[in-house]
Amino acid sequence: MDAMLFSGKSSEDNTIVELLASALRKDIAFGKLLPDQKLKINELRTRYGGSNHSMRETLRILSSEGLVEATAQRGFRVTSATEDDLCDIQLVRLQIETVALSRAIAIGDVAWEGRVIAAHHALQKAEQQVTENPDDLTALEWDKACGAFAAVLIEACASPRLIDLQRKFFDQSRRFRLAQLREGKLDWPSRRTRQKALLDAVLRKDEAMALSLLQDDIKADLKTTEKS
């Protein structure tokens, strides 16, 4: 009986932490929690709810995802979002995703190809919807579709660690991607053409072309300011 009670409490706590983490991720993504902003437990509880324990656990999870950083004073702050951060995330994504896609193309089966086609179709629908109605909810659904397509491209790579790293750094790039959306900086026709070409190259097992297009897509997703 005690074990059942403990299990139920643990499950409830986990649900609360998941809800809190989702809420904070969204507000970090949309800039409602600003880069480098200090995150005080009491203020967060007033804004989002939860207990001291659940909020600390939430911040630990977001810290492991790279969205929040622990400070020297044993507190937390939102991770910075400078041009250098953007360049570094782009660099890491380029390295991880090209290696993973190369492996996926080499060993992926017909079932994987079907999932890639389905994810591309869902992404195209999401992009059409967000261009017609770019509110926060539609933007999040679009970002989710972007993540699903990026994830399925590499899921056949047979490396759980590469997949985990790809997901982590894709999530860290969300703020920059949504900022481009809000500022009207996304070239939708070019995106559609590039993503369709990427899909076709993957299905043809044209590794060189697929990797080149993937690199172009990541660079467009995380557009940096070229330094002279």
Side-chain angles (χ1 to χ4, degrees):
M1 181 68 177
D2 289 343
M4 290 177 64
L5 288 173
F6 179 80
S7 176
K9 183 177 186 300
S10 176
S11 176
E12 181 179 354
D13 288 347
N14 289 340
T15 299
I16 291 170
V17 169
E18 288 171 7
L19 290 172
L20 291 171
S22 178
L24 266 70
R25 281 191 201 98
K26 177 181 176 182
D27 284 354
I28 290 171
F30 283 104
K32 295 176 182 177
L33 292 173
L34 297 173
D36 299 311
Q37 179 177 334
K38 291 183 178 179
L39 299 172
K40 298 180 179 179
I41 298 292
N42 288 338
E43 292 178 1
L44 292 174
R45 287 186 60 200
T46 298
R47 183 169 178 174
Y48 298 98
S51 64
N52 283 344
H53 170 75
S54 60
M55 187 56 71
R56 286 196 185 94
E57 185 60 27
T58 297
L59 293 174
R60 289 192 193 98
I61 290 172
L62 297 181
S63 179
S64 72
E65 296 173 359
L67 300 177
V68 164
E69 292 180 351
T71 68
Q73 293 76 29
R74 298 181 66 185
F76 293 90
R77 67 179 178 88
V78 178
T79 301
S80 62
T82 65
E83 180 74 12
D84 285 343
D85 294 318
L86 174 58
C87 291
D88 195 39
I89 292 170
Q90 184 196 88
L91 171 65
V92 175
R93 281 193 58 192
L94 286 168
Q95 297 299 315
I96 291 170
E97 294 182 39
T98 52
V99 170
L101 180 58
S102 177
R103 289 175 54 84
I105 290 172
I107 61 181
D109 59 12
V110 173
W112 167 67
E113 292 176 2
R115 293 192 295 274
V116 174
I117 293 170
H120 175 263
H121 179 67
L123 175 58
Q124 295 304 296
K125 291 186 67 175
E127 297 212 333
Q128 180 179 350
Q129 290 170 352
V130 80
T131 55
E132 295 172 354
N133 181 33
D135 60 20
D136 284 0
L137 179 59
T138 309
L140 283 177
E141 288 300 314
W142 166 72
D143 185 76
K144 183 178 178 181
C146 290
F149 183 59
V152 78
L153 280 173
I154 70 159
E155 71 175 16
C157 72
S159 171
R161 290 172 179 81
L162 277 175
I163 290 170
D164 184 63
L165 285 170
Q166 185 277 334
R167 180 173 57 250
K168 177 178 179 178
F169 286 97
F170 188 92
D171 288 347
Q172 287 185 30
S173 70
R174 180 175 293 117
R175 288 183 290 178
F176 301 100
R177 187 165 46 256
L178 290 175
Q180 284 204 72
L181 173 65
R182 290 195 303 274
E183 295 164 12
K185 294 182 178 179
L186 294 173
D187 184 343
W188 297 108
S190 293
R191 285 177 65 86
R192 284 191 290 271
T193 299
R194 185 173 56 249
Q195 289 162 358
K196 179 61 167 63
L198 174 55
L199 171 66
D200 291 343
V202 167
L203 296 179
R204 291 196 312 270
K205 301 283 189 179
D206 186 343
E207 179 184 350
M209 179 59 70
L211 296 184
S212 177
L213 289 164
L214 176 63
Q215 291 169 354
D216 290 345
D217 204 47
I218 293 172
K219 290 175 182 177
D221 196 25
L222 295 170
K223 194 173 293 183
T224 61
T225 301
E226 294 186 5
K227 297 179 181 179
S228 58

Short mmCIF file of all heavy atoms in Angstrom, two decimals, residues 30 130-131 134-136 138-140 142-143 175-186 188:
data_model
loop_
_atom_site.label_atom_id
_atom_site.label_comp_id
_atom_site.label_asym_id
_atom_site.label_seq_id
_atom_site.Cartn_x
_atom_site.Cartn_y
_atom_site.Cartn_z
N PHE A 30 9.57 32.28 -26.72
CA PHE A 30 8.94 33.49 -27.23
C PHE A 30 9.49 34.77 -26.59
O PHE A 30 8.99 35.86 -26.84
CB PHE A 30 7.42 33.43 -27.03
CG PHE A 30 6.73 32.55 -28.02
CD1 PHE A 30 6.28 31.30 -27.65
CD2 PHE A 30 6.54 32.96 -29.33
CE1 PHE A 30 5.64 30.47 -28.57
CE2 PHE A 30 5.90 32.14 -30.25
CZ PHE A 30 5.45 30.89 -29.87
N VAL A 130 1.13 28.45 -40.71
CA VAL A 130 1.78 29.52 -39.97
C VAL A 130 1.95 30.77 -40.83
O VAL A 130 1.98 31.90 -40.30
CB VAL A 130 3.13 29.05 -39.39
CG1 VAL A 130 4.24 29.07 -40.42
CG2 VAL A 130 3.51 29.89 -38.17
N THR A 131 2.06 30.61 -42.13
CA THR A 131 2.15 31.79 -42.99
C THR A 131 0.79 32.49 -43.09
O THR A 131 0.74 33.72 -43.24
CB THR A 131 2.62 31.42 -44.41
OG1 THR A 131 1.76 30.42 -44.96
CG2 THR A 131 4.05 30.90 -44.38
N PRO A 134 0.04 33.49 -38.22
CA PRO A 134 1.24 33.31 -37.40
C PRO A 134 1.06 33.69 -35.93
O PRO A 134 1.84 34.48 -35.38
CB PRO A 134 2.25 34.23 -38.10
CG PRO A 134 1.40 35.34 -38.65
CD PRO A 134 0.11 34.70 -39.05
N ASP A 135 0.03 33.14 -35.25
CA ASP A 135 -0.11 33.40 -33.82
C ASP A 135 0.78 32.43 -33.04
O ASP A 135 1.42 31.55 -33.62
CB ASP A 135 -1.58 33.30 -33.38
CG ASP A 135 -2.18 31.92 -33.65
OD1 ASP A 135 -1.42 30.94 -33.81
OD2 ASP A 135 -3.42 31.82 -33.70
N ASP A 136 0.82 32.59 -31.72
CA ASP A 136 1.75 31.80 -30.91
C ASP A 136 1.48 30.30 -31.01
O ASP A 136 2.41 29.50 -31.12
CB ASP A 136 1.67 32.23 -29.43
CG ASP A 136 2.38 33.55 -29.18
OD1 ASP A 136 2.92 34.13 -30.14
OD2 ASP A 136 2.38 34.01 -28.01
N THR A 138 -0.04 28.56 -33.43
CA THR A 138 0.32 28.05 -34.76
C THR A 138 1.83 28.01 -34.93
O THR A 138 2.38 27.09 -35.55
CB THR A 138 -0.31 28.92 -35.86
OG1 THR A 138 -1.70 29.07 -35.60
CG2 THR A 138 -0.12 28.30 -37.23
N ALA A 139 2.52 29.02 -34.36
CA ALA A 139 3.99 29.05 -34.44
C ALA A 139 4.60 27.86 -33.71
O ALA A 139 5.56 27.25 -34.19
CB ALA A 139 4.51 30.36 -33.85
N LEU A 140 4.03 27.51 -32.56
CA LEU A 140 4.55 26.37 -31.82
C LEU A 140 4.29 25.06 -32.56
O LEU A 140 5.13 24.16 -32.57
CB LEU A 140 3.92 26.31 -30.43
CG LEU A 140 4.47 27.28 -29.39
CD1 LEU A 140 3.70 27.17 -28.08
CD2 LEU A 140 5.96 27.03 -29.13
N TRP A 142 4.08 24.79 -35.78
CA TRP A 142 5.04 24.80 -36.89
C TRP A 142 6.42 24.37 -36.40
O TRP A 142 7.08 23.55 -37.03
CB TRP A 142 5.11 26.20 -37.50
CG TRP A 142 6.29 26.40 -38.40
CD1 TRP A 142 6.49 25.88 -39.64
CD2 TRP A 142 7.46 27.18 -38.10
NE1 TRP A 142 7.70 26.28 -40.14
CE2 TRP A 142 8.32 27.08 -39.22
CE3 TRP A 142 7.85 27.96 -37.02
CZ2 TRP A 142 9.55 27.73 -39.28
CZ3 TRP A 142 9.07 28.61 -37.07
CH2 TRP A 142 9.92 28.48 -38.18
N ASP A 143 6.84 24.92 -35.26
CA ASP A 143 8.15 24.56 -34.73
C ASP A 143 8.21 23.08 -34.38
O ASP A 143 9.23 22.42 -34.59
CB ASP A 143 8.46 25.40 -33.49
CG ASP A 143 9.86 25.14 -32.97
OD1 ASP A 143 10.83 25.64 -33.58
OD2 ASP A 143 10.00 24.43 -31.96
N ARG A 175 14.54 29.51 -29.97
CA ARG A 175 14.37 30.96 -29.78
C ARG A 175 14.76 31.74 -31.04
O ARG A 175 14.09 32.69 -31.42
CB ARG A 175 15.23 31.46 -28.61
CG ARG A 175 14.72 31.05 -27.26
CD ARG A 175 15.58 31.63 -26.16
NE ARG A 175 16.90 31.01 -26.11
CZ ARG A 175 17.85 31.38 -25.24
NH1 ARG A 175 17.63 32.36 -24.41
NH2 ARG A 175 19.01 30.78 -25.23
N PHE A 176 15.85 31.32 -31.65
CA PHE A 176 16.34 32.03 -32.83
C PHE A 176 15.41 31.80 -34.03
O PHE A 176 15.15 32.71 -34.82
CB PHE A 176 17.75 31.55 -33.17
CG PHE A 176 18.73 31.76 -32.05
CD1 PHE A 176 19.09 30.71 -31.20
CD2 PHE A 176 19.29 33.01 -31.82
CE1 PHE A 176 19.99 30.90 -30.16
CE2 PHE A 176 20.19 33.21 -30.79
CZ PHE A 176 20.55 32.15 -29.95
N ARG A 177 14.90 30.58 -34.14
CA ARG A 177 14.00 30.24 -35.25
C ARG A 177 12.68 31.02 -35.13
O ARG A 177 12.18 31.58 -36.10
CB ARG A 177 13.75 28.73 -35.24
CG ARG A 177 12.99 28.19 -36.40
CD ARG A 177 13.10 26.67 -36.48
NE ARG A 177 12.89 26.01 -35.20
CZ ARG A 177 13.88 25.48 -34.45
NH1 ARG A 177 15.13 25.54 -34.85
NH2 ARG A 177 13.63 24.89 -33.30
N LEU A 178 12.12 31.07 -33.94
CA LEU A 178 10.86 31.79 -33.73
C LEU A 178 11.06 33.30 -33.86
O LEU A 178 10.14 34.01 -34.29
CB LEU A 178 10.28 31.44 -32.35
CG LEU A 178 9.74 30.01 -32.22
CD1 LEU A 178 9.31 29.73 -30.79
CD2 LEU A 178 8.59 29.76 -33.18
N ALA A 179 12.24 33.79 -33.51
CA ALA A 179 12.53 35.21 -33.69
C ALA A 179 12.52 35.57 -35.18
O ALA A 179 11.98 36.61 -35.58
CB ALA A 179 13.87 35.57 -33.07
N GLN A 180 13.10 34.69 -36.01
CA GLN A 180 13.06 34.92 -37.46
C GLN A 180 11.63 34.92 -37.97
O GLN A 180 11.27 35.73 -38.84
CB GLN A 180 13.87 33.83 -38.18
CG GLN A 180 15.37 33.99 -38.10
CD GLN A 180 16.06 33.28 -39.26
OE1 GLN A 180 15.99 33.74 -40.40
NE2 GLN A 180 16.70 32.17 -38.97
N LEU A 181 10.82 34.03 -37.43
CA LEU A 181 9.41 33.98 -37.82
C LEU A 181 8.71 35.28 -37.46
O LEU A 181 8.02 35.88 -38.30
CB LEU A 181 8.73 32.79 -37.13
CG LEU A 181 7.21 32.69 -37.32
CD1 LEU A 181 6.85 32.44 -38.78
CD2 LEU A 181 6.63 31.59 -36.43
N ARG A 182 8.87 35.73 -36.22
CA ARG A 182 8.20 36.95 -35.76
C ARG A 182 8.65 38.16 -36.57
O ARG A 182 7.86 39.08 -36.83
CB ARG A 182 8.49 37.20 -34.27
CG ARG A 182 7.82 36.24 -33.32
CD ARG A 182 7.85 36.77 -31.90
NE ARG A 182 9.20 37.05 -31.44
CZ ARG A 182 10.01 36.14 -30.88
NH1 ARG A 182 9.59 34.89 -30.74
NH2 ARG A 182 11.22 36.46 -30.48
N GLU A 183 9.92 38.18 -36.95
CA GLU A 183 10.48 39.34 -37.65
C GLU A 183 10.30 39.26 -39.16
O GLU A 183 10.75 40.15 -39.90
CB GLU A 183 11.97 39.48 -37.30
CG GLU A 183 12.21 39.79 -35.82
CD GLU A 183 13.64 39.54 -35.40
OE1 GLU A 183 14.50 39.33 -36.28
OE2 GLU A 183 13.91 39.56 -34.18
N GLY A 184 9.62 38.22 -39.64
CA GLY A 184 9.35 38.09 -41.07
C GLY A 184 10.59 37.85 -41.91
O GLY A 184 10.64 38.24 -43.08
N LYS A 185 11.59 37.16 -41.35
CA LYS A 185 12.86 36.96 -42.04
C LYS A 185 12.97 35.60 -42.74
O LYS A 185 14.00 35.30 -43.34
CB LYS A 185 14.02 37.13 -41.06
CG LYS A 185 14.17 38.55 -40.53
CD LYS A 185 15.37 38.66 -39.59
CE LYS A 185 15.55 40.09 -39.11
NZ LYS A 185 16.71 40.20 -38.18
N LEU A 186 11.94 34.80 -42.66
CA LEU A 186 12.00 33.47 -43.28
C LEU A 186 11.56 33.55 -44.74
O LEU A 186 10.54 34.15 -45.07
CB LEU A 186 11.09 32.50 -42.52
CG LEU A 186 11.54 32.17 -41.09
CD1 LEU A 186 10.48 31.34 -40.38
CD2 LEU A 186 12.87 31.44 -41.08
N TRP A 188 9.97 31.69 -47.26
CA TRP A 188 9.14 30.50 -47.34
C TRP A 188 9.28 29.75 -48.67
O TRP A 188 9.40 28.52 -48.67
CB TRP A 188 7.68 30.85 -47.07
CG TRP A 188 7.45 31.38 -45.69
CD1 TRP A 188 7.17 32.66 -45.33
CD2 TRP A 188 7.50 30.63 -44.47
NE1 TRP A 188 7.03 32.76 -43.97
CE2 TRP A 188 7.23 31.53 -43.41
CE3 TRP A 188 7.75 29.29 -44.17
CZ2 TRP A 188 7.20 31.14 -42.09
CZ3 TRP A 188 7.71 28.89 -42.83
CH2 TRP A 188 7.44 29.81 -41.81
#
